[in-house]
PDB file of all heavy atoms in Angstrom:
ATOM      1  N   VAL D   1       1.135   9.563  24.198  1.00  0.00           N
ATOM      2  CA  VAL D   1       1.568   9.770  22.775  1.00  0.00           C
ATOM      3  C   VAL D   1       2.407   8.574  22.392  1.00  0.00           C
ATOM      4  O   VAL D   1       2.316   7.903  21.281  1.00  0.00           O
ATOM      5  CB  VAL D   1       2.249  11.013  22.514  1.00  0.00           C
ATOM      6  CG1 VAL D   1       2.710  11.141  21.143  1.00  0.00           C
ATOM      7  CG2 VAL D   1       1.276  12.178  22.898  1.00  0.00           C
ATOM      8  N   ARG D   2       3.482   8.205  23.156  1.00  0.00           N
ATOM      9  CA  ARG D   2       4.439   7.188  22.793  1.00  0.00           C
ATOM     10  C   ARG D   2       3.920   5.717  23.062  1.00  0.00           C
ATOM     11  O   ARG D   2       4.482   4.917  22.635  1.00  0.00           O
ATOM     12  CB  ARG D   2       5.698   7.321  23.642  1.00  0.00           C
ATOM     13  CG  ARG D   2       6.521   8.742  23.449  1.00  0.00           C
ATOM     14  CD  ARG D   2       7.651   8.867  24.246  1.00  0.00           C
ATOM     15  NE  ARG D   2       8.238  10.185  24.172  1.00  0.00           N
ATOM     16  CZ  ARG D   2       9.176  10.596  24.934  1.00  0.00           C
ATOM     17  NH1 ARG D   2       9.695   9.899  25.792  1.00  0.00           N
ATOM     18  NH2 ARG D   2       9.731  11.758  24.606  1.00  0.00           N
ATOM     19  N   ALA D   3       2.863   5.691  23.871  1.00  0.00           N
ATOM     20  CA  ALA D   3       2.346   4.374  24.081  1.00  0.00           C
ATOM     21  C   ALA D   3       1.329   3.969  23.003  1.00  0.00           C
ATOM     22  O   ALA D   3       0.973   2.786  22.864  1.00  0.00           O
ATOM     23  CB  ALA D   3       1.655   4.266  25.491  1.00  0.00           C
ATOM     24  N   LEU D   4       0.682   4.883  22.376  1.00  0.00           N
ATOM     25  CA  LEU D   4      -0.523   4.506  21.405  1.00  0.00           C
ATOM     26  C   LEU D   4      -0.190   5.353  20.141  1.00  0.00           C
ATOM     27  O   LEU D   4      -0.028   6.444  20.078  1.00  0.00           O
ATOM     28  CB  LEU D   4      -1.699   5.036  22.164  1.00  0.00           C
ATOM     29  CG  LEU D   4      -3.036   4.684  21.317  1.00  0.00           C
ATOM     30  CD1 LEU D   4      -3.250   3.248  21.098  1.00  0.00           C
ATOM     31  CD2 LEU D   4      -4.147   5.381  22.017  1.00  0.00           C
ATOM     32  N   ALA D   5      -0.263   4.634  19.018  1.00  0.00           N
ATOM     33  CA  ALA D   5      -0.381   5.230  17.692  1.00  0.00           C
ATOM     34  C   ALA D   5      -1.316   4.593  16.812  1.00  0.00           C
ATOM     35  O   ALA D   5      -1.612   3.392  16.887  1.00  0.00           O
ATOM     36  CB  ALA D   5       1.106   4.984  17.112  1.00  0.00           C
ATOM     37  N   ILE D   6      -2.183   5.401  16.178  1.00  0.00           N
ATOM     38  CA  ILE D   6      -3.023   5.053  15.223  1.00  0.00           C
ATOM     39  C   ILE D   6      -2.330   4.522  13.920  1.00  0.00           C
ATOM     40  O   ILE D   6      -2.559   3.406  13.363  1.00  0.00           O
ATOM     41  CB  ILE D   6      -4.124   5.948  14.958  1.00  0.00           C
ATOM     42  CG1 ILE D   6      -4.819   6.476  16.179  1.00  0.00           C
ATOM     43  CG2 ILE D   6      -5.138   5.468  13.870  1.00  0.00           C
ATOM     44  CD1 ILE D   6      -5.458   5.217  16.934  1.00  0.00           C
ATOM     45  N   PHE D   7      -1.511   5.293  13.397  1.00  0.00           N
ATOM     46  CA  PHE D   7      -0.666   4.980  12.243  1.00  0.00           C
ATOM     47  C   PHE D   7       0.714   5.133  12.646  1.00  0.00           C
ATOM     48  O   PHE D   7       1.127   6.209  13.141  1.00  0.00           O
ATOM     49  CB  PHE D   7      -1.004   5.831  11.054  1.00  0.00           C
ATOM     50  CG  PHE D   7      -2.459   5.536  10.561  1.00  0.00           C
ATOM     51  CD1 PHE D   7      -3.480   6.406  11.042  1.00  0.00           C
ATOM     52  CD2 PHE D   7      -2.666   4.527   9.655  1.00  0.00           C
ATOM     53  CE1 PHE D   7      -4.710   6.083  10.536  1.00  0.00           C
ATOM     54  CE2 PHE D   7      -3.883   4.155   9.360  1.00  0.00           C
ATOM     55  CZ  PHE D   7      -5.004   5.088   9.670  1.00  0.00           C
ATOM     56  N   VAL D   8       1.564   4.202  12.357  1.00  0.00           N
ATOM     57  CA  VAL D   8       2.982   4.148  12.904  1.00  0.00           C
ATOM     58  C   VAL D   8       4.072   3.980  11.835  1.00  0.00           C
ATOM     59  O   VAL D   8       5.130   3.332  12.190  1.00  0.00           O
ATOM     60  CB  VAL D   8       3.107   2.975  13.904  1.00  0.00           C
ATOM     61  CG1 VAL D   8       2.186   3.239  15.203  1.00  0.00           C
ATOM     62  CG2 VAL D   8       2.718   1.691  13.335  1.00  0.00           C
ATOM     63  N   VAL D   9       3.931   4.589  10.721  1.00  0.00           N
ATOM     64  CA  VAL D   9       4.962   4.480   9.632  1.00  0.00           C
ATOM     65  C   VAL D   9       6.341   4.936  10.176  1.00  0.00           C
ATOM     66  O   VAL D   9       7.255   4.400  10.050  1.00  0.00           O
ATOM     67  CB  VAL D   9       4.499   5.214   8.361  1.00  0.00           C
ATOM     68  CG1 VAL D   9       5.570   5.179   7.478  1.00  0.00           C
ATOM     69  CG2 VAL D   9       3.393   4.520   7.777  1.00  0.00           C
ATOM     70  N   VAL D  10       6.132   6.196  10.799  1.00  0.00           N
ATOM     71  CA  VAL D  10       7.468   6.907  11.258  1.00  0.00           C
ATOM     72  C   VAL D  10       8.051   6.026  12.459  1.00  0.00           C
ATOM     73  O   VAL D  10       9.151   6.002  12.606  1.00  0.00           O
ATOM     74  CB  VAL D  10       7.181   8.245  11.837  1.00  0.00           C
ATOM     75  CG1 VAL D  10       8.380   9.044  12.408  1.00  0.00           C
ATOM     76  CG2 VAL D  10       6.667   9.132  10.572  1.00  0.00           C
ATOM     77  N   ALA D  11       7.082   5.632  13.343  1.00  0.00           N
ATOM     78  CA  ALA D  11       7.569   4.943  14.523  1.00  0.00           C
ATOM     79  C   ALA D  11       8.278   3.556  14.085  1.00  0.00           C
ATOM     80  O   ALA D  11       9.148   3.178  14.606  1.00  0.00           O
ATOM     81  CB  ALA D  11       6.386   4.521  15.403  1.00  0.00           C
ATOM     82  N   ILE D  12       7.709   2.850  13.047  1.00  0.00           N
ATOM     83  CA  ILE D  12       8.287   1.657  12.596  1.00  0.00           C
ATOM     84  C   ILE D  12       9.633   1.870  12.021  1.00  0.00           C
ATOM     85  O   ILE D  12      10.663   1.270  12.399  1.00  0.00           O
ATOM     86  CB  ILE D  12       7.418   0.954  11.449  1.00  0.00           C
ATOM     87  CG1 ILE D  12       6.078   0.572  12.159  1.00  0.00           C
ATOM     88  CG2 ILE D  12       8.035  -0.185  10.857  1.00  0.00           C
ATOM     89  CD1 ILE D  12       6.075  -0.359  13.313  1.00  0.00           C
ATOM     90  N   ALA D  13       9.777   2.950  11.315  1.00  0.00           N
ATOM     91  CA  ALA D  13      11.178   3.237  10.829  1.00  0.00           C
ATOM     92  C   ALA D  13      12.124   3.536  11.812  1.00  0.00           C
ATOM     93  O   ALA D  13      13.353   3.211  11.781  1.00  0.00           O
ATOM     94  CB  ALA D  13      11.051   4.522   9.851  1.00  0.00           C
ATOM     95  N   SER D  14      11.711   4.186  12.931  1.00  0.00           N
ATOM     96  CA  SER D  14      12.585   4.468  14.024  1.00  0.00           C
ATOM     97  C   SER D  14      13.064   3.254  14.818  1.00  0.00           C
ATOM     98  O   SER D  14      14.239   3.282  15.254  1.00  0.00           O
ATOM     99  CB  SER D  14      12.099   5.531  14.947  1.00  0.00           C
ATOM    100  OG  SER D  14      10.902   5.020  15.678  1.00  0.00           O
ATOM    101  N   VAL D  15      12.256   2.300  14.860  1.00  0.00           N
ATOM    102  CA  VAL D  15      12.587   1.114  15.837  1.00  0.00           C
ATOM    103  C   VAL D  15      13.313   0.000  15.021  1.00  0.00           C
ATOM    104  O   VAL D  15      13.984  -0.751  15.602  1.00  0.00           O
ATOM    105  CB  VAL D  15      11.264   0.584  16.412  1.00  0.00           C
ATOM    106  CG1 VAL D  15      10.622   1.602  17.380  1.00  0.00           C
ATOM    107  CG2 VAL D  15      10.325  -0.052  15.437  1.00  0.00           C
ATOM    108  N   VAL D  16      13.216   0.112  13.649  1.00  0.00           N
ATOM    109  CA  VAL D  16      13.935  -0.937  12.907  1.00  0.00           C
ATOM    110  C   VAL D  16      15.344  -0.564  12.690  1.00  0.00           C
ATOM    111  O   VAL D  16      16.201  -1.498  12.599  1.00  0.00           O
ATOM    112  CB  VAL D  16      13.200  -1.063  11.549  1.00  0.00           C
ATOM    113  CG1 VAL D  16      14.018  -2.062  10.659  1.00  0.00           C
ATOM    114  CG2 VAL D  16      11.866  -1.720  11.809  1.00  0.00           C
ATOM    115  N   ARG D  17      15.742   0.701  12.835  1.00  0.00           N
ATOM    116  CA  ARG D  17      17.143   1.125  12.650  1.00  0.00           C
ATOM    117  C   ARG D  17      18.044   0.616  13.691  1.00  0.00           C
ATOM    118  O   ARG D  17      17.522   0.254  14.840  1.00  0.00           O
ATOM    119  CB  ARG D  17      17.255   2.608  12.470  1.00  0.00           C
ATOM    120  CG  ARG D  17      17.020   3.329  13.727  1.00  0.00           C
ATOM    121  CD  ARG D  17      17.345   4.762  13.617  1.00  0.00           C
ATOM    122  NE  ARG D  17      17.258   5.578  14.746  1.00  0.00           N
ATOM    123  CZ  ARG D  17      16.128   6.155  15.183  1.00  0.00           C
ATOM    124  NH1 ARG D  17      15.153   6.184  14.513  1.00  0.00           N
ATOM    125  NH2 ARG D  17      16.243   6.886  16.439  1.00  0.00           N
ATOM    126  N   ALA D  18      19.306   0.561  13.467  1.00  0.00           N
ATOM    127  CA  ALA D  18      20.252   0.122  14.514  1.00  0.00           C
ATOM    128  C   ALA D  18      20.398   1.228  15.403  1.00  0.00           C
ATOM    129  O   ALA D  18      21.258   2.197  15.233  1.00  0.00           O
ATOM    130  CB  ALA D  18      21.650  -0.337  13.921  1.00  0.00           C
ATOM    131  N   ASP D  19      19.778   1.164  16.705  1.00  0.00           N
ATOM    132  CA  ASP D  19      19.812   2.338  17.555  1.00  0.00           C
ATOM    133  C   ASP D  19      19.848   1.760  19.001  1.00  0.00           C
ATOM    134  O   ASP D  19      19.023   0.959  19.265  1.00  0.00           O
ATOM    135  CB  ASP D  19      18.604   3.099  17.391  1.00  0.00           C
ATOM    136  CG  ASP D  19      18.607   4.446  18.172  1.00  0.00           C
ATOM    137  OD1 ASP D  19      19.338   4.480  19.159  1.00  0.00           O
ATOM    138  OD2 ASP D  19      17.766   5.343  17.876  1.00  0.00           O
ATOM    139  N   PRO D  20      20.819   2.086  19.736  1.00  0.00           N
ATOM    140  CA  PRO D  20      21.040   1.526  21.169  1.00  0.00           C
ATOM    141  C   PRO D  20      19.917   1.951  22.069  1.00  0.00           C
ATOM    142  O   PRO D  20      19.769   1.320  23.107  1.00  0.00           O
ATOM    143  CB  PRO D  20      22.362   2.014  21.668  1.00  0.00           C
ATOM    144  CG  PRO D  20      22.590   3.400  20.894  1.00  0.00           C
ATOM    145  CD  PRO D  20      21.896   3.118  19.389  1.00  0.00           C
ATOM    146  N   ALA D  21      19.087   3.002  21.675  1.00  0.00           N
ATOM    147  CA  ALA D  21      18.133   3.506  22.552  1.00  0.00           C
ATOM    148  C   ALA D  21      16.991   2.421  22.878  1.00  0.00           C
ATOM    149  O   ALA D  21      16.738   1.623  21.978  1.00  0.00           O
ATOM    150  CB  ALA D  21      17.517   4.696  22.086  1.00  0.00           C
ATOM    151  N   PRO D  22      16.392   2.414  24.028  1.00  0.00           N
ATOM    152  CA  PRO D  22      15.300   1.531  24.327  1.00  0.00           C
ATOM    153  C   PRO D  22      14.194   1.593  23.303  1.00  0.00           C
ATOM    154  O   PRO D  22      13.906   2.639  22.809  1.00  0.00           O
ATOM    155  CB  PRO D  22      14.792   1.890  25.628  1.00  0.00           C
ATOM    156  CG  PRO D  22      15.856   2.665  26.276  1.00  0.00           C
ATOM    157  CD  PRO D  22      16.641   3.329  25.114  1.00  0.00           C
ATOM    158  N   ARG D  23      13.676   0.440  22.857  1.00  0.00           N
ATOM    159  CA  ARG D  23      12.682   0.301  21.823  1.00  0.00           C
ATOM    160  C   ARG D  23      11.328   0.647  22.584  1.00  0.00           C
ATOM    161  O   ARG D  23      10.994   0.206  23.550  1.00  0.00           O
ATOM    162  CB  ARG D  23      12.633  -0.982  21.267  1.00  0.00           C
ATOM    163  CG  ARG D  23      13.918  -1.410  20.477  1.00  0.00           C
ATOM    164  CD  ARG D  23      14.258  -0.648  19.311  1.00  0.00           C
ATOM    165  NE  ARG D  23      15.147  -1.212  18.398  1.00  0.00           N
ATOM    166  CZ  ARG D  23      16.408  -0.673  18.103  1.00  0.00           C
ATOM    167  NH1 ARG D  23      16.623   0.448  18.642  1.00  0.00           N
ATOM    168  NH2 ARG D  23      17.163  -1.375  17.312  1.00  0.00           N
ATOM    169  N   PRO D  24      10.466   1.476  21.901  1.00  0.00           N
ATOM    170  CA  PRO D  24       9.122   1.732  22.475  1.00  0.00           C
ATOM    171  C   PRO D  24       8.209   0.513  22.080  1.00  0.00           C
ATOM    172  O   PRO D  24       8.377  -0.164  21.132  1.00  0.00           O
ATOM    173  CB  PRO D  24       8.702   2.967  21.652  1.00  0.00           C
ATOM    174  CG  PRO D  24       9.408   2.847  20.308  1.00  0.00           C
ATOM    175  CD  PRO D  24      10.738   2.206  20.521  1.00  0.00           C
ATOM    176  N   ASN D  25       7.274   0.309  23.046  1.00  0.00           N
ATOM    177  CA  ASN D  25       6.199  -0.549  22.733  1.00  0.00           C
ATOM    178  C   ASN D  25       5.352   0.173  21.651  1.00  0.00           C
ATOM    179  O   ASN D  25       5.095   1.390  21.572  1.00  0.00           O
ATOM    180  CB  ASN D  25       5.333  -0.850  24.038  1.00  0.00           C
ATOM    181  CG  ASN D  25       6.101  -1.584  25.047  1.00  0.00           C
ATOM    182  OD1 ASN D  25       6.907  -2.543  24.723  1.00  0.00           O
ATOM    183  ND2 ASN D  25       6.102  -1.016  26.226  1.00  0.00           N
ATOM    184  N   VAL D  26       4.694  -0.796  20.807  1.00  0.00           N
ATOM    185  CA  VAL D  26       3.899  -0.219  19.703  1.00  0.00           C
ATOM    186  C   VAL D  26       2.501  -0.746  19.774  1.00  0.00           C
ATOM    187  O   VAL D  26       2.400  -2.036  19.757  1.00  0.00           O
ATOM    188  CB  VAL D  26       4.595  -0.631  18.306  1.00  0.00           C
ATOM    189  CG1 VAL D  26       3.613   0.089  17.276  1.00  0.00           C
ATOM    190  CG2 VAL D  26       6.003   0.063  18.219  1.00  0.00           C
ATOM    191  N   LEU D  27       1.506   0.012  19.781  1.00  0.00           N
ATOM    192  CA  LEU D  27       0.160  -0.319  19.854  1.00  0.00           C
ATOM    193  C   LEU D  27      -0.758   0.378  18.686  1.00  0.00           C
ATOM    194  O   LEU D  27      -0.573   1.614  18.642  1.00  0.00           O
ATOM    195  CB  LEU D  27      -0.522  -0.101  21.220  1.00  0.00           C
ATOM    196  CG  LEU D  27      -2.099  -0.214  21.245  1.00  0.00           C
ATOM    197  CD1 LEU D  27      -2.495  -1.575  21.081  1.00  0.00           C
ATOM    198  CD2 LEU D  27      -2.498   0.460  22.662  1.00  0.00           C
ATOM    199  N   ILE D  28      -1.212  -0.369  17.891  1.00  0.00           N
ATOM    200  CA  ILE D  28      -2.140   0.134  16.770  1.00  0.00           C
ATOM    201  C   ILE D  28      -3.534  -0.148  17.103  1.00  0.00           C
ATOM    202  O   ILE D  28      -3.826  -1.425  17.249  1.00  0.00           O
ATOM    203  CB  ILE D  28      -1.762  -0.322  15.335  1.00  0.00           C
ATOM    204  CG1 ILE D  28      -0.376  -0.063  15.068  1.00  0.00           C
ATOM    205  CG2 ILE D  28      -2.672   0.233  14.313  1.00  0.00           C
ATOM    206  CD1 ILE D  28       0.142  -0.587  13.778  1.00  0.00           C
ATOM    207  N   ILE D  29      -4.465   0.766  17.199  1.00  0.00           N
ATOM    208  CA  ILE D  29      -5.904   0.523  17.272  1.00  0.00           C
ATOM    209  C   ILE D  29      -6.626   0.961  16.022  1.00  0.00           C
ATOM    210  O   ILE D  29      -6.412   2.094  15.698  1.00  0.00           O
ATOM    211  CB  ILE D  29      -6.422   1.235  18.615  1.00  0.00           C
ATOM    212  CG1 ILE D  29      -5.773   0.844  19.782  1.00  0.00           C
ATOM    213  CG2 ILE D  29      -7.940   0.989  18.578  1.00  0.00           C
ATOM    214  CD1 ILE D  29      -6.072   1.520  21.068  1.00  0.00           C
ATOM    215  N   VAL D  30      -7.536   0.120  15.542  1.00  0.00           N
ATOM    216  CA  VAL D  30      -8.214   0.427  14.331  1.00  0.00           C
ATOM    217  C   VAL D  30      -9.708   0.149  14.572  1.00  0.00           C
ATOM    218  O   VAL D  30     -10.005  -0.972  15.042  1.00  0.00           O
ATOM    219  CB  VAL D  30      -7.733  -0.611  13.107  1.00  0.00           C
ATOM    220  CG1 VAL D  30      -8.694  -0.156  11.840  1.00  0.00           C
ATOM    221  CG2 VAL D  30      -6.385  -0.203  12.867  1.00  0.00           C
ATOM    222  N   SER D  31     -10.469   1.145  14.222  1.00  0.00           N
ATOM    223  CA  SER D  31     -11.986   0.839  14.271  1.00  0.00           C
ATOM    224  C   SER D  31     -12.416   0.448  12.850  1.00  0.00           C
ATOM    225  O   SER D  31     -11.675   0.542  11.947  1.00  0.00           O
ATOM    226  CB  SER D  31     -12.767   2.101  14.684  1.00  0.00           C
ATOM    227  OG  SER D  31     -12.492   3.135  13.801  1.00  0.00           O
ATOM    228  N   ASP D  32     -13.635  -0.042  12.816  1.00  0.00           N
ATOM    229  CA  ASP D  32     -14.055  -0.649  11.379  1.00  0.00           C
ATOM    230  C   ASP D  32     -15.307   0.199  11.020  1.00  0.00           C
ATOM    231  O   ASP D  32     -16.409   0.073  11.557  1.00  0.00           O
ATOM    232  CB  ASP D  32     -14.386  -2.072  11.681  1.00  0.00           C
ATOM    233  CG  ASP D  32     -14.675  -2.868  10.414  1.00  0.00           C
ATOM    234  OD1 ASP D  32     -14.605  -2.154   9.371  1.00  0.00           O
ATOM    235  OD2 ASP D  32     -14.671  -4.123  10.442  1.00  0.00           O
ATOM    236  N   ASP D  33     -15.341   0.931   9.919  1.00  0.00           N
ATOM    237  CA  ASP D  33     -16.274   1.679   9.362  1.00  0.00           C
ATOM    238  C   ASP D  33     -16.784   2.750  10.219  1.00  0.00           C
ATOM    239  O   ASP D  33     -18.033   2.998  10.203  1.00  0.00           O
ATOM    240  CB  ASP D  33     -17.550   0.693   8.907  1.00  0.00           C
ATOM    241  CG  ASP D  33     -17.159  -0.026   7.603  1.00  0.00           C
ATOM    242  OD1 ASP D  33     -16.042   0.104   7.061  1.00  0.00           O
ATOM    243  OD2 ASP D  33     -18.134  -0.635   7.017  1.00  0.00           O
ATOM    244  N   MET D  34     -15.910   3.398  10.910  1.00  0.00           N
ATOM    245  CA  MET D  34     -16.418   4.511  11.742  1.00  0.00           C
ATOM    246  C   MET D  34     -16.595   5.841  10.859  1.00  0.00           C
ATOM    247  O   MET D  34     -15.537   6.070  10.142  1.00  0.00           O
ATOM    248  CB  MET D  34     -15.495   4.921  12.927  1.00  0.00           C
ATOM    249  CG  MET D  34     -15.987   6.021  13.770  1.00  0.00           C
ATOM    250  SD  MET D  34     -14.788   6.303  15.130  1.00  0.00           S
ATOM    251  CE  MET D  34     -14.956   4.800  16.130  1.00  0.00           C
ATOM    252  N   GLY D  35     -17.678   6.509  10.984  1.00  0.00           N
ATOM    253  CA  GLY D  35     -17.860   7.676  10.146  1.00  0.00           C
ATOM    254  C   GLY D  35     -17.133   8.878  10.812  1.00  0.00           C
ATOM    255  O   GLY D  35     -16.812   8.937  11.941  1.00  0.00           O
ATOM    256  N   TRP D  36     -16.754   9.746   9.970  1.00  0.00           N
ATOM    257  CA  TRP D  36     -16.036  10.961  10.437  1.00  0.00           C
ATOM    258  C   TRP D  36     -16.634  11.764  11.498  1.00  0.00           C
ATOM    259  O   TRP D  36     -16.067  12.217  12.351  1.00  0.00           O
ATOM    260  CB  TRP D  36     -15.887  11.976   9.105  1.00  0.00           C
ATOM    261  CG  TRP D  36     -15.177  13.203   9.452  1.00  0.00           C
ATOM    262  CD1 TRP D  36     -15.730  14.445   9.717  1.00  0.00           C
ATOM    263  CD2 TRP D  36     -13.726  13.463   9.498  1.00  0.00           C
ATOM    264  NE1 TRP D  36     -14.741  15.434   9.948  1.00  0.00           N
ATOM    265  CE2 TRP D  36     -13.430  14.793   9.825  1.00  0.00           C
ATOM    266  CE3 TRP D  36     -12.590  12.622   9.310  1.00  0.00           C
ATOM    267  CZ2 TRP D  36     -12.255  15.381   9.948  1.00  0.00           C
ATOM    268  CZ3 TRP D  36     -11.276  13.271   9.466  1.00  0.00           C
ATOM    269  CH2 TRP D  36     -11.121  14.536   9.748  1.00  0.00           C
ATOM    270  N   ASN D  37     -17.986  11.903  11.328  1.00  0.00           N
ATOM    271  CA  ASN D  37     -18.802  12.531  12.461  1.00  0.00           C
ATOM    272  C   ASN D  37     -19.331  11.645  13.493  1.00  0.00           C
ATOM    273  O   ASN D  37     -20.196  12.051  14.177  1.00  0.00           O
ATOM    274  CB  ASN D  37     -19.922  13.350  11.795  1.00  0.00           C
ATOM    275  CG  ASN D  37     -21.045  12.372  11.279  1.00  0.00           C
ATOM    276  OD1 ASN D  37     -20.688  11.240  10.937  1.00  0.00           O
ATOM    277  ND2 ASN D  37     -22.274  12.917  11.168  1.00  0.00           N
ATOM    278  N   GLY D  38     -18.794  10.346  13.587  1.00  0.00           N
ATOM    279  CA  GLY D  38     -19.220   9.604  14.711  1.00  0.00           C
ATOM    280  C   GLY D  38     -18.483   9.673  16.007  1.00  0.00           C
ATOM    281  O   GLY D  38     -18.628   8.991  16.965  1.00  0.00           O
ATOM    282  N   ILE D  39     -17.478  10.550  16.073  1.00  0.00           N
ATOM    283  CA  ILE D  39     -16.604  10.689  17.221  1.00  0.00           C
ATOM    284  C   ILE D  39     -16.681  12.131  17.804  1.00  0.00           C
ATOM    285  O   ILE D  39     -16.945  13.159  16.943  1.00  0.00           O
ATOM    286  CB  ILE D  39     -15.167  10.310  16.918  1.00  0.00           C
ATOM    287  CG1 ILE D  39     -14.633  10.949  15.655  1.00  0.00           C
ATOM    288  CG2 ILE D  39     -14.996   8.795  16.796  1.00  0.00           C
ATOM    289  CD1 ILE D  39     -13.278  10.603  15.216  1.00  0.00           C
TER     290      ILE D  39
END
């Protein structure tokens, strides 16, 4: 969960703030024109 995010709006907000905690790596994976019933 912490290694992979499809949409990371919340994650971006958390890593940009001034926070001494270790920053997570961020990975966004996007497919192109995949249909709802194709998975």
